[in-house]
Amino acid sequence: MKYFTLDEFDSQDEAGSGSNMQPSTLEMLDNAREIAGIPFKINSGFRSKSHNAYVGGKENSSHLYGYAVDISVTSSTQRATVLNALVKAGFNRIGIAKTFIHADNDPEKSQNVYWVY
């Protein structure tokens, strides 16, 4: 990866767990970062089952399988830049919140879906 290190994707309760991220997700994310031209701060990448439960994640969260990331956004302009880059990079499962964007490429879930939190 050009823009990230695996430890950025670690579950907060499991050092080294960023290595559980899916290579396809990381490749798409690195590409999105290149397209955006701005840094991405990863709030959440891989999650252990216990950490996922702690943060109130869904029982079948794509974070548990290394297919999902939550990226911090602090302004409408940054949100638009990140969102556009994720779409151009091929993500088609995207959740938009005030302070973050969730992106995943989980092949076991419905495709071409966008939602708001």
Side-chain angles (χ1 to χ4, degrees), residues 70 83 93-97 100-104 113-117:
D70 293 344
L83 179 60
R93 294 183 42 77
I94 298 174
I96 304 166
F100 71 93
I101 296 177
H102 168 99
D104 78 62
V113 294
Y114 298 86
W115 61 92
V116 293
Y117 293 96

Side-chain angles (χ1 to χ4, degrees), residues 5 9 12 14 37 45-47 55 69 72 76 97 101 107 111 116:
T5 59
F9 303 96
Q12 290 184 10
E14 195 174 313
F46 177 79
R47 290 184 193 157
V55 298
V69 294
S72 176
S76 294
I101 296 177
Q111 301 298 299
V116 293

Side-chain angles (χ1 to χ4, degrees), residues 31-115:
N31 188 29
R33 166 59 183 86
E34 176 80 21
I35 293 165
I38 61 171
F40 285 10
K41 179 182 180 246
I42 305 302
N43 289 343
S44 185
F46 177 79
R47 290 184 193 157
S48 68
K49 285 186 180 186
S50 59
H51 185 66
N52 190 59
Y54 175 76
V55 298
K58 291 190 175 185
E59 201 171 298
N60 68 337
S61 172
S62 297
H63 288 279
L64 295 168
Y65 309 102
Y67 283 111
V69 294
D70 293 344
I71 304 161
S72 176
V73 291
T74 58
S75 70
S76 294
T77 301
Q78 184 185 29
R79 186 178 305 105
T81 300
V82 171
L83 179 60
N84 288 327
L86 291 168
V87 171
K88 285 179 182 174
F91 284 101
N92 66 14
R93 294 183 42 77
I94 298 174
I96 304 166
K98 184 176 181 178
T99 60
F100 71 93
I101 296 177
H102 168 99
D104 78 62
N105 65 324
D106 191 331
E108 300 297 318
K109 304 233 176 115
S110 297
Q111 301 298 299
N112 301 309
V113 294
Y114 298 86
W115 61 92

